[in-house]
Amino acid sequence: MKCHRIEELIELLEPEWQKDSDLNLLEFLVKLANEAGYQGELANLSDDILIYHLKMRHREKDEMIPGLKKDQEDDFKTAILKARGIIK
């Protein structure tokens, strides 16, 4: 599972880092952490924060996270029935 997360992070990180190629990796990670609003120590920065920030970096603030949007239902009843496996 960790290998998949590393690959996803690198895939998201590479094009964004190329846009700021004057920064070294650590400087770029600090920039991303600050953009994401992370206040802790850089050593405790999780890959989840980086992944979700990179996914949402150039999107509107109220736009839904891509992985969640596919599961969204417009009405509560349908959402419950799908969650319980009654309908597909």
Side-chain angles (χ1 to χ4, degrees), residues 17-62:
W17 188 17
Q18 287 178 354
K19 294 175 188 173
D20 282 319
S21 60
D22 57 317
L23 300 177
N24 67 43
L25 180 58
L26 190 55
E27 290 171 329
F28 188 63
L29 292 175
V30 168
K31 179 180 179 177
L32 291 175
N34 289 335
E35 287 177 7
Y38 180 74
Q39 299 293 319
E41 292 186 32
L42 195 58
N44 297 325
L45 180 64
S46 73
D47 52 343
D48 288 330
I49 292 172
L50 290 172
I51 289 169
Y52 285 108
H53 179 65
L54 287 165
K55 284 183 177 182
M56 300 301 291
R57 190 171 190 213
H58 299 295
R59 298 176 187 252
E60 296 296 322
K61 288 192 180 271
D62 59 347

Side-chain angles (χ1 to χ4, degrees), residues 10 34 42 45 69 73-74 86-87:
I10 290 171
N34 289 335
L42 195 58
L45 180 64
K69 189 173 187 172
E73 291 296 335
D74 292 331
I86 296 170
I87 62 174

